[in-house]
Structures are given as structure tokens and as C-alpha cells.
Amino acid sequence: MAGPSAPAVLAKGMKHLDLDGHDLPPSPAPSSPSNGRKYALATELVYTESGDQYNSSSMPIYQSATFKGGPGQEYDYSRSGNPTRTHLERHMAKIMNANRALVVSSGMGACDVITRILKPGDEVVTGDDLYGGTNRLLTYLKENGGINVKHVDTTKLDVVKAALSSKTTMVLLETPTNPLIKIVDISGISSAAHEANTDCYVAVDNTMMSPYLQNPLDLGADVTYESGTKYLSGHHDVMAGIIGVNSASLGDKFYFMINSTGCGLAPFDSWLLLRGVKTLAVRMEKQQANAMAIAEFLENHGFKVRYPGLKSHSQYALHWSQARGAGAVLSFETGSINLSERIVESTKLFGISVSFGCVNSLISMPCRMSHASIDPATRKERALPEDIIRLCVGIEDLTDLVDDLSQALVRAGAVRLTSEGFEALSVAEGETGRTTQVVDEP
Ligand SMILES: *Cc1c(COP(=O)(O)O)cnc(C)c1O
């Protein structure tokens, strides 16, 4: 679990130094289990010591902008460093299998920090089914920063290879993508990118999986980042972004940006995230078990379902070669925008909301909400079905969730109740009977 800096940390009598040579609290540095083997992630998530003077069980919130004392002390100004934030960063580095983690005010803030190392003339190769906000930021950089951004189908290794060149300075990936749930070969693309240009950085947005299910750095990526607003915090009560790296120089570059722009996560938000992440394992296990059952339920009723837990997913093998679970986001098509709208409006437990990763189940129509910032023409070009419904499954009782969805499907007219159970109606009748054209333009 520990990276190259670990031996210094684990050796008896040695000081616990971070990459900058700071003497830090002993944990959340990588723990040294008494049983001689590595603790499992579920254990590491909850195991943390703060070195607090009162032995507090929860890391205190150092709600202080400044720290008294002279030069050479560990903390002086919270934009540059704060004990609560440092504690979270070291905890996250351990969880992400990274040598260094940096926490900022949002997932997009993390993406901003990462892309700020680009210079005019640099080339970025990225996907064509990106998170809306990422797409918006890259478009801004293309139009104002002199960055050449190439959007390609990153699910095809040969297409990515053809787009790479010695000028490619960054490859930015997301897997699974959302809401199309396309899988991207992290290790294949990382090798190809480094072959094309040894100085190329491969950055992976790991928000959909969380470090509990996928560790991009172990697969050859240089940077892993994610929105802490989602699974890491789990309760939709805080916004945060996390960046993980193994390279000390890359970590320093990102730290420079964070200190320069002042986007480091605030003490109280750091504390909320520390609290939330402790339950990541139990939440994720329950959420993906619920998601799997719901994906099967929908597939059995004739809907086209996209979920990497289903054997019918065309990239099932690739996904499981790099991840330990399928996550809890799935999408399905109904064949009609109107029908999708009626379904989304008819659920009660599945709340209509953007975002995911919360303990509550959510439902949305991405083309109307999270992906609305991508213009309709581009959505069409990228084959984003306008009727697609995204489900972000929470930790509620499974029977209640299935009942809620079933009733919504019946009320919306997508299925009919018969003596044998549900019967799908024409628009949802398998591949051939389905209306695939967009029914009404938004
Ligand atoms: C939410 C999200 C982001 C942005 O994170 P914020 O915390 O909302 O800024 C980036 N990528 C993906 C895949 C996301 O789902």
C-alpha cells in the first residue's frame, strides 16, 4: 500500500517525514499492522491517529487562518498548509495508493490545478464522453489558453494511439464514463502515451469508481484525481477534490498551484471529508449490490441498460481487469424522451438531482441536467441518447427501491402490470422494437 517514501516512515525510530521533509503525525501515514500483513482498505479507511495532544478520536478542526511563531515552523498560514487538511491529505494518500495526495475545494478545482501545468502549444488527448464540467474547462483552455485539445473515442486503443504524438503533453481519461458507461483501458493508454512522449502525463478522473474500487496510479497513470463531493464524502454535504500522485516533482508542481491560487480545502470541509470517507467501504458495498440488482431488474424488462456489472456490457472484461467492482451508477434508455421524463418525474425515493455518490438514490436525465452544458449538436455527435436516464443508487432497502422504480415505470406507461408481473410496452421492447430516433428536440 505504501509508496517509495514508506520505508522511511515505517522504520523504527525514524521520523515521519513527508515529501517536503516535514515531521508529521505518525498516522494517517501508512499504518504498520501488528499482524504482519497489509491492512485491507476497509480497515485503513477507518484507521487514523492524529497525534493530538488530548488523544482526540476525531481529528480536530484547526479553524485558524494563521499560526504563531517564526520561520521554520510547520504551519504559518492556512492557504499554504493547515493541520486538518494535512491529516486528510495523508489519509487520502494511503487510501489512493499514492505517495502524495492534495485536497482542494472541488473536483473541478482539482482538474483546474492539473491542467494549469499545461503551456500554450501543448496538446491534450482526451475522451469524447467526458463529465460536462471537464469538457467546459478544456474548451476554455482550447479557446483561451492556446492548448490543442483532441477529443477522441478513448474506448478504442488504436484510435488513441493514432491521436498521440511527441507533442502530446497530457492524456486525460475518465472511466467508466458517465452516463454512457464506456470503459477506457487505463494501462494500455498509459503505456502508449509514455511511449509517444516520455514526459506525457496521464491523468485519470476516478470519481465514478473511488479508490475503493480502482487505483489508476497502479495501472500506470501519473495522476489520479476525483471529486470528493461524490463517493468519498458520500452524503452530499461537502464539495471537495482530491489529487493523487507518485512523482514528487509533480506533487510539488500541484502544491505550488494550490498555494498560489488558494484553492486548498478549508479546515471544516477537510474534517467533513475525513468523517465521510471512513464509511466508504460499507457504503460502496451496499450501493453496488443495490445497483447490480436494479440493473438486472431493468434488463429483464427489456430496457437497454449500461452497467459494467452486467455481462451484457460490451467491455465487461476490460472493466474487471482494472477495477474491483462495478460502482453504483447505471443508465438505461427507454426509446422516448417523453417517456423518460415521465419516469424521472414519477419516482419518489429516487430524487431528481444532478451528481451521484450520495447515500440517497438519485435519478436524472443527463441531457437535461449534468450534461446540459454540452450543446445538443455535440451530444448528438457523441451519440449521447437524449432519452437516457441515469440512476445513482444509494444505500436504501433494495425492495423499496425496486418498488419505487416499478411504480414509476407503470405510471409512466413504460411497463404494464399483468398477473405474471410486469410486461414491457412497445418502446421498451428490446433492440428491434425500440424507437431509437429522438422524439422531440430539447
Ligand atoms: C462531479 C464530477 C466532477 C467535478 O467535481 P465537483 O466536485 O463537482 O467539482 C468531475 N468529474 C466527474 C466524473 C464528476 O462526476
Side-chain angles (χ1 to χ4, degrees):
M1 163 135 296
S5 65
V9 178
L10 296 178
K12 245 195 157 76
M14 291 285 282
K15 280 189 161 188
H16 304 283
L17 301 181
D18 73 359
L19 292 168
D20 300 324
H22 291 140
D23 186 1
L24 288 164
S27 176
S31 6
S32 42
S34 51
N35 60 8
R37 60 169 174 80
K38 264 183 8 180
Y39 284 138
L41 208 44
T43 308
E44 293 286 13
L45 282 164
V46 294
Y47 182 80
T48 140
E49 289 165 18
S50 70
D52 167 62
Q53 57 179 326
Y54 299 114
N55 291 324
S56 65
S57 305
S58 163
M59 177 67 186
I61 305 168
Y62 283 87
Q63 191 63 42
S64 184
T66 55
F67 297 85
K68 290 184 211 164
Q73 63 170 12
E74 205 168 308
Y75 300 100
D76 54 8
Y77 198 53
S78 279
R79 170 156 46 71
S80 309
N82 176 284
T84 314
R85 184 157 81 227
T86 302
H87 187 83
L88 171 63
E89 288 179 338
R90 295 192 57 81
H91 190 60
M92 287 314 303
K94 181 179 76 166
I95 303 309
M96 296 165 95
N97 238 359
N99 282 345
R100 185 171 187 180
L102 300 134
V103 295
V104 295
S105 52
S106 72
M108 285 319 303
C111 192
D112 176 45
V113 166
I114 293 162
T115 50
R116 266 175 201 260
I117 64 174
L118 295 167
K119 296 184 193 72
D122 278 358
E123 190 179 278
V124 178
V125 172
T126 189
D128 57 6
D129 180 27
L130 294 174
Y131 176 71
T134 308
N135 201 63
R136 180 170 52 203
L137 180 62
L138 289 174
T139 304
Y140 178 85
L141 291 173
K142 185 176 184 170
E143 288 167 2
N144 302 277
I147 314 288
N148 181 12
V149 182
K150 285 192 197 170
H151 291 277
V152 300
D153 181 356
T154 42
T155 61
K156 298 195 173 77
L157 189 54
D158 47 330
V159 170
V160 178
K161 278 183 175 164
L164 294 167
S165 76
S166 57
K167 284 184 294 183
T168 313
T169 39
M170 186 175 287
V171 174
L172 209 153
L173 307 172
E174 208 183 305
T175 183
T177 64
N178 132 53
L180 294 182
I181 321 288
K182 295 200 278 184
I183 313 299
V184 169
D185 180 352
I186 299 176
S187 108
I189 295 178
S190 296
S191 308
H194 293 139
E195 211 168 286
N197 174 11
T198 45
D199 295 327
C200 177
Y201 296 125
V202 178
V204 179
D205 180 336
N206 201 42
T207 310
M208 285 276 280
M209 287 284 99
S210 89
Y212 184 66
L213 299 180
Q214 184 169 273
N215 303 98
L217 297 180
D218 293 348
L219 298 162
D222 304 283
V223 182
T224 178
Y225 76 100
E226 62 188 80
S227 167
T229 317
K230 315 291 168 61
Y231 291 112
L232 292 178
S233 62
H235 297 75
H236 280 183
D237 52 10
V238 64
M239 299 215 58
I242 323 281
I243 304 169
V245 289
N246 280 334
S247 149
S249 70
L250 204 47
D252 286 344
K253 277 186 193 173
F254 293 152
Y255 172 75
F256 176 88
M257 286 306 166
I258 294 165
N259 188 31
S260 303
T261 61
C263 62
L265 195 62
F268 182 66
D269 290 352
S270 297
W271 179 85
L272 275 175
L273 188 51
L274 263 169
R275 185 171 74 155
V277 80
K278 288 180 187 175
T279 54
L280 175 62
V282 279
R283 282 186 283 111
M284 191 56 110
E285 290 293 351
K286 173 70 175 166
Q287 284 177 259
Q288 57 179 1
N290 279 351
M292 185 66 202
I294 288 169
E296 281 171 343
F297 166 81
L298 289 169
E299 193 169 61
N300 290 340
H301 286 91
F303 294 100
K304 180 177 177 188
V305 183
R306 302 170 195 246
Y307 183 62
L310 293 174
K311 293 250 165 61
S312 57
H313 193 293
S314 62
Q315 296 172 292
Y316 180 87
L318 174 61
H319 178 78
W320 288 90
S321 73
Q322 58 188 15
R324 295 179 289 273
V329 177
L330 59 110
S331 61
F332 69 104
E333 286 158 63
T334 66
S336 149
I337 295 181
N338 283 333
L339 183 56
S340 294
E341 276 175 349
R342 287 200 300 274
I343 294 170
V344 168
E345 283 159 14
S346 302
T347 56
K348 191 175 162 78
L349 285 176
F350 284 87
I352 302 179
S353 171
V354 293
S355 198
F356 58 88
C358 187
V359 288
N360 300 88
S361 291
L362 305 171
I363 190 166
S364 69
M365 277 181 78
C367 292
R368 294 290 162 88
M369 301 164 74
S370 54
H371 291 61
S373 62
I374 302 174
D375 66 271
T378 310
R379 290 202 298 257
K380 198 166 183 179
E381 187 188 305
R382 294 179 188 171
L384 187 58
E386 298 281 323
D387 64 319
I388 201 166
I389 296 178
R390 188 179 77 176
L391 295 180
C392 307
V393 184
I395 64 170
E396 300 93 335
D397 177 77
L398 177 62
T399 311
D400 286 339
L401 288 179
V402 172
D403 281 353
D404 191 43
L405 205 52
S406 313
Q407 284 171 25
L409 292 174
V410 172
R411 272 201 294 273
V415 297
R416 188 181 6 208
L417 261 180
T418 67
S419 51
E420 278 103 69
F422 295 108
E423 181 195 55
L425 295 177
S426 61
V427 282
E429 259 170 16
E431 208 59 42
T432 45
R434 184 137 27 94
T435 339
T436 43
Q437 79 270 26
V438 170
V439 176
D440 47 9
E441 293 296 339

